[in-house]
Amino acid sequence: MPGLDEVLAARRAARASRSQSRANVVSVFILLVSVLVAVVIGAATQNPGWFIIVFLAGLFFSQSPKIAKQWERAVVLRLGKYTGLRGPGLFWITPFVETISIYIDQRVITTSFAAEETLTSDTVPVNVDAVLFWMVHDSEKAALEVQDYAQAVSWAAQTGLRDIIGRTSLTDLLRGREKIEAELQALIDQRSNPWGVTVQSVEMRDIVIPASLQDAMSREAQASREKSARIILGQAEVEIAQLFFEAAKSYENNPTALHLRAMNILYEGLKEKGALMVVPSNVVESMGLGGMMGAAALRGQQSWVDGGAKAVPQPAV
């Protein structure tokens, strides 16, 4: 199985091959015209040598025109020495003397990277997935200062993420994403600036912690919520007791108001259908409610009897 270095070398070779073999309509047109002219001259002179000469000349000149897209810059080397950047649009090079080593993409590029099983400062293993948004601002440095700038940015992002996680606690990692993203962006930007690359933003997509730790954090959060609920309930009891204390002070020298309040409480409790209230006898005697309650009960019984009597049908005569 090939190693990582071999895979990267194969990718670079494939990228360089694509840069050299990019066909364009101008080259194809020159080649077709040269073939047509070679056929006409060969048929007119009956000499195949002219056909070969014209065809080779057309093949030579068809290698000269190159086209770079609007977001690309072509790095031109003359006999292996850097001569400048070309593009966008149509430009010409000297065939077999000047070559294009690479086309630099100057658009914003997204790169996904991750840190797996990385320990935080409090020795908790986490998996973090992030996305890096970056672009090439200096094509010359990207071509000359680093062998593969895209791969270098990816490695710098991964090592920077591991570095940030290693000196951050789990609590800060979960709560302070914006701060960590800003620190990671500054770190990656510092490492990639010499390569002509600038980092626009870093976004952390997901933070995965062990399942056992998730259960422990869930129990801790539940216990914290129960503690807060009990504290709130205790504070409510204190406030209610304070209000009762103030009410008792108001009723202390006003027995009439106290009796009226007691009667209101009895009324609120008895007005519901089927309600039953147990009242101590001394309270009834002290409030003088015995006769009132008896009268109310007698009246209720009398109403029930009258209603039953009305419901009994009269016998027919």
Side-chain angles (χ1 to χ4, degrees):
M1 185 175 180
L4 180 60
D5 294 337
E6 297 178 359
V7 173
L8 295 179
R11 290 180 179 177
R12 288 193 295 268
R15 190 181 298 114
S17 177
R18 287 195 300 268
S19 299
Q20 292 293 337
S21 61
R22 291 178 59 170
N24 57 79
V25 63
V26 180
S27 298
V28 173
F29 177 76
I30 293 175
L31 184 60
L32 291 178
V33 170
S34 64
V35 171
L36 181 61
V37 172
V39 170
V40 173
I41 293 176
T45 60
Q46 299 296 323
N47 186 357
W50 285 105
F51 174 82
I52 297 175
I53 293 174
V54 174
F55 176 76
L56 291 178
L59 184 62
F60 176 81
F61 287 107
S62 66
Q63 302 298 318
S64 181
K66 301 293 181 182
I67 294 178
K69 297 181 176 65
Q70 179 64 36
W71 55 85
E72 291 179 336
R73 298 298 182 270
V75 179
V76 180
L77 303 179
R78 180 177 299 160
L79 299 177
K81 183 179 180 180
Y82 173 78
T83 59
L85 300 173
R86 305 289 178 84
L90 178 65
F91 61 95
W92 303 79
I93 63 174
T94 305
F96 306 110
V97 176
E98 294 179 339
T99 58
I100 297 176
S101 62
I102 190 173
Y103 288 90
I104 304 294
D105 193 335
Q106 293 190 323
R107 295 176 295 182
V108 176
I109 302 173
T110 58
T111 301
S112 300
F113 61 101
E116 298 180 358
E117 299 295 330
T118 305
L119 293 178
T120 61
S121 61
D122 47 357
T123 65
V124 178
V126 294
N127 297 337
V128 180
D129 293 331
V131 180
L132 177 67
F133 297 86
W134 58 279
M135 64 176 297
V136 177
H137 68 87
D138 192 335
S139 301
E140 180 179 348
K141 290 183 178 180
L144 303 180
E145 300 297 333
V146 63
Q147 185 177 21
D148 189 343
Y149 65 92
Q151 191 64 36
V153 170
S154 177
W155 284 119
Q158 292 185 24
T159 55
L161 179 59
R162 289 180 177 272
D163 187 16
I164 293 292
I165 293 175
R167 47 191 171 92
T168 305
S169 64
L170 180 61
T171 303
D172 295 337
L173 188 64
L174 295 176
R175 295 180 179 177
R177 285 197 177 190
E178 295 181 356
K179 179 181 178 182
I180 295 175
E181 289 173 354
E183 292 180 359
L184 184 57
Q185 177 181 349
L187 181 60
I188 300 173
D189 197 47
Q190 180 183 2
R191 295 180 178 179
S192 59
N193 263 331
W195 309 329
V197 174
T198 181
V199 177
Q200 292 192 339
S201 65
V202 179
E203 296 183 5
M204 299 173 63
R205 294 186 300 179
D206 192 16
I207 300 176
V208 181
I209 61 178
S212 59
L213 184 59
Q214 291 183 15
D215 296 337
M217 294 177 64
S218 177
R219 291 194 298 269
E220 180 183 359
Q222 184 177 1
S224 178
R225 287 193 296 269
E226 291 180 357
K227 176 183 176 181
S228 301
R230 291 180 182 273
I231 292 174
I232 294 173
L233 181 60
Q235 292 176 351
E237 292 290 342
V238 172
E239 294 177 0
I240 292 172
Q242 183 67 27
L243 293 176
F244 280 161
F245 177 74
E246 296 177 0
K249 290 173 61 177
S250 301
Y251 292 136
E252 183 177 3
N253 299 321
N254 194 350
T256 303
L258 180 61
H259 290 175
L260 290 174
R261 178 58 181 162
M263 293 174 64
N264 181 260
I265 293 174
L266 289 175
Y267 172 75
E268 293 292 337
L270 293 174
K271 72 178 183 179
E272 299 292 336
K273 293 183 179 179
L276 176 64
M277 179 174 290
V278 179
V279 182
S281 59
N282 58 348
V283 175
V284 177
E285 292 174 359
S286 64
M287 297 175 59
L289 299 177
M292 295 176 61
M293 295 178 65
L298 180 62
R299 183 176 180 181
Q301 184 178 6
Q302 184 65 33
S303 300
W304 179 81
V305 171
D306 294 343
K310 291 179 181 180
V312 177
Q314 299 293 331
V317 178

